[in-house]
């Protein structure tokens, strides 16, 4: 299981690595109230050993907000240090006095480094690193729930709760970063997808993965054009993730289809709809690729999820109880000047959910509290190598080839460690792709 790491912990890891070149202090904690331009720490600032100029020019950053104190990530440049009182002076002023009670967590960067160096390096690594990913093509808008956009799942009859959650126990393993939590106060309450355009007599295959922790649920394939139900499964009440499978032909004059999830016979029902929410056609249709899939070279293979062990309700099965199997025959359609430049289609459809194995870049981290499942040591090593390489370029431009040489060597050391980790973790583009499982068309 991948372990999530916050940007804050990544920054501290990188600072420890940079500290091999220039000492840094952190994380540290204040011991008394300062002001908007001073910080007091009578314990950890003793590293200065009486040198009042020791911290001059270094960046101090607030790592954890205290009530009444500066915000997280506020930073300033150190200008002076008073040894006797452990008082550090900085400029410009922060938005509030630096608290000592309650304490404030902070760090002091090595000379020549700032938060921007670390943030930029982390972003560069995440955007350039691709990890294994499973994507299920679907005609449903936001079927993978990548976007936490509730308007993609409008309420049905006003449930008490309709919200995305990121608790791993409520998300089907291997798929997605969030699930849709619904809590009803009356039968018939829940949510539904937005409409997918279909044509009459088209074979529609619906796969919904859900967890019911209280009450019971109905999953319904709706003819939105006629405001009528096409097919449904009722009475689902399993806390173990269950796959609901609906297969039906679009009715006469049916132009729009929706999938609805509502409380069935128990008014107070609690349930979670996990990605992917799949509507696949039995006809040959193209499926728009997600924004992160920018080239066919990211696709490794295509497969399908076999029917699992039967659950207690008809047409419902225990999710992921059979291994994924390979499927032959898919096409990648690409036109870089089109509004939608990439799509996939399948030569023959089956009545099981089709899934692509692909390489996907990791998401950006925009706050210190944000987390990533990209390997912690790989990310810290790679970011450190980029920072050292940038600093080596600066040293050359300022006429210090000796320092540049040392920084290049440090950069290479961490780049080699990152490269070894990437190979072990199967990051980056695959070396070999299963070519005989594709056909290429433009």
């Amino acid at each position: 299981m991948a372990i999530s790491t916050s940007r804050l912990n990544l920054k501290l890891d990188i600072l420890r690595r940079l500290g091999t070149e220039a000492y840094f202090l952190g994380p540290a904690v204040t011991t008394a109230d300062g002001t908007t331009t001073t910080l007091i720490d009578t314990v950890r600032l003793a590293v200065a050993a009486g040198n009042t100029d020791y911290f001059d020019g270094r960046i101090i950053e607030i790592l954890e907000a205290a009530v009444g104190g500066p915000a997280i990530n506020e930073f300033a440049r150190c200008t002076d240090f008073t040894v006797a009182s452990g008082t550090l002076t900085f400029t410009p002023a922060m938005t509030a006095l630096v608290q000592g009670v309650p304490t404030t967590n902070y760090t002091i960067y090595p000379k020549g480094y700032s938060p921007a160096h670390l943030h930029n390096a982390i972003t560069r690594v995440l955007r350039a690193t691709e990890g294994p990913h499973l994507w299920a093509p679907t005609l449903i808008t936001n079927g993978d729930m990548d976007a936490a956009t509730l308007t993609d799942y409008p309420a049905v009859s006003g449930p008490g709760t309709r919200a995305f959650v990121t608790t791993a126990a409520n998300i089907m393993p291997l798929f997605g970063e969030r699930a849709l939590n619904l809590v009803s106060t009356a039968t018939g309450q829940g949510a539904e997808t937005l409409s997918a355009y279909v044509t009459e007599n088209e074979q529609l295959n619906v796969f919904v993965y859900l967890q019911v922790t209280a009450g019971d649920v109905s999953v319904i394939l709706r003819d939105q054009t006629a405001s009528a139900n096409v097919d449904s499964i009722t009475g689902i009440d399993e806390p173990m993730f269950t796959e609901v499978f609906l297969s039906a032909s679009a009715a006469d004059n049916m132009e729009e289809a929706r999938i609805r999830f509502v409380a069935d016979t128990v008014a107070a029902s609690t349930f979670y709809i996990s990605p992917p929410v799949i509507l696949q056609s039995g006809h040959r249709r193209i499926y728009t690729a997600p924004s992160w899939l920018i080239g066919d070279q990211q696709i490794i293979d295509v497969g399908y999820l076999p029917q699992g062990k039967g659950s207690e309700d008809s047409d419902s099965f225990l999710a992921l109880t059979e291994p994924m199997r390979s499927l032959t025959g898919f096409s990648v359609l690409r036109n870089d000047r089109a509004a939608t430049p990439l799509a996939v289609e399948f030569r023959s459809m089956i009545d099981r959910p089709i899934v692509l194995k692909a390489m996907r870049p990791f998401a950006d981290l925009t706050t210190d509290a944000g987390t990533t499942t990209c390997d912690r040591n790989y990310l810290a090593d790679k970011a450190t190598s980029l920072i050292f390489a940038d600093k080596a370029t600066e040293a050359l431009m300022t006429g210090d080839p000796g320092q540049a040489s040392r920084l290049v060597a440090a950069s290479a050391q961490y780049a080699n460690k990152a490269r070894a980790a990437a190979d072990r973790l199967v990051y980056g583009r695959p070396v070999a792709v299963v070519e005989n499982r594709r056909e290429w068309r433009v």
Side-chain angles (χ1 to χ4, degrees), residues 205-423:
N205 295 324
V206 173
F207 305 92
V208 174
Y209 300 90
L210 71 161
Q211 176 189 57
V212 183
T213 57
D216 58 3
V217 177
S218 295
V219 177
I220 305 166
L221 173 61
R222 293 270 295 170
D223 177 352
Q224 190 67 10
T225 311
S227 298
N229 294 346
V230 177
D231 197 5
S232 65
I233 295 178
T234 61
I236 303 162
D237 60 3
E238 294 287 341
M240 183 174 179
F241 274 105
T242 301
E243 176 202 290
V244 171
F245 171 44
L246 299 172
S247 184
S249 295
D252 287 348
N253 300 316
M254 181 175 172
E255 297 174 345
E256 297 181 33
R258 291 195 179 194
I259 305 171
R260 181 172 287 188
F261 342 94
V262 294
D264 188 15
T265 65
V266 180
S269 292
T270 301
F271 50 103
Y272 300 85
I273 307 301
S274 177
V277 179
I278 301 174
L279 172 58
Q280 291 178 346
S281 173
H283 293 182
R284 191 165 182 174
R285 296 263 306 249
I286 65 168
Y287 296 84
T288 302
S291 60
W292 55 264
L293 187 57
I294 60 175
D296 44 68
Q297 70 274 14
Q298 290 174 254
I299 300 173
I300 305 171
D301 202 359
V302 62
Y304 67 94
L305 300 176
Q307 194 172 88
K309 306 299 181 184
S311 187
E312 62 182 1
D313 299 295
S314 61
D315 293 321
S316 67
F317 310 91
L318 300 182
L320 302 181
T321 51
E322 289 292 333
M324 182 174 171
R325 297 174 186 168
S326 291
L327 183 70
T328 60
F330 72 100
S331 305
V332 177
L333 311 177
R334 180 174 174 179
N335 181 355
D336 287 349
R337 295 193 61 176
T340 303
L342 200 70
V344 296
E345 68 174 352
F346 303 96
R347 202 155 41 208
S348 58
M349 297 300 296
I350 60 174
D351 60 355
R352 295 303 306 153
I354 296 175
V355 177
L356 266 66
K357 298 178 181 179
M359 301 300 286
R360 179 178 182 176
F362 288 93
D364 290 358
L365 294 177
T366 57
T367 67
D368 277 6
T371 60
T372 180
T373 54
C374 186
D375 183 75
R376 179 172 179 171
N377 286 326
Y378 160 80
L379 182 44
D381 285 337
K382 186 64 176 176
T384 302
S385 74
L386 294 178
I387 294 170
F388 277 143
D390 290 344
K391 283 294 181 180
T393 301
E394 291 181 18
L396 279 175
M397 294 177 67
T398 56
D400 191 347
Q403 177 66 354
S405 178
R406 288 188 292 273
L407 290 167
V408 166
S411 175
Q413 173 191 350
Y414 286 104
N416 289 336
K417 292 173 66 175
R419 189 175 300 111
D423 291 342

Side-chain angles (χ1 to χ4, degrees), residues 29-31 64-66 99-105:
V29 182
T30 56
T31 57
E64 184 179 31
Q99 299 285 336
V101 182
T103 57
T104 299
N105 286 3

Side-chain angles (χ1 to χ4, degrees), residues 10-21:
L10 288 168
K11 286 165 63 174
L12 294 174
D13 287 350
I14 295 168
L15 285 172
R16 292 185 185 99
R17 288 161 169 78
L18 296 178
T20 60
E21 287 292 312

Side-chain angles (χ1 to χ4, degrees), residues 94-167:
M94 294 193 178
T95 57
L97 66 86
V98 180
Q99 299 285 336
V101 182
T103 57
T104 299
N105 286 3
Y106 71 96
T107 190
I108 300 177
Y109 282 67
K111 283 187 177 179
Y113 297 96
S114 71
H117 287 114
L118 275 62
H119 297 166
N120 291 339
I122 291 171
T123 298
R124 288 164 63 190
V125 176
L126 289 172
R127 291 181 179 179
T129 302
E130 295 175 344
H133 183 76
L134 298 175
W135 172 61
T138 178
L139 300 175
I140 296 299
T141 300
N142 197 20
D144 55 10
M145 299 188 188
D146 257 15
T149 309
L150 280 176
T151 51
D152 291 337
Y153 291 89
V156 174
S157 301
T161 297
R162 180 176 62 98
F164 286 113
V165 297
T166 56
T167 305

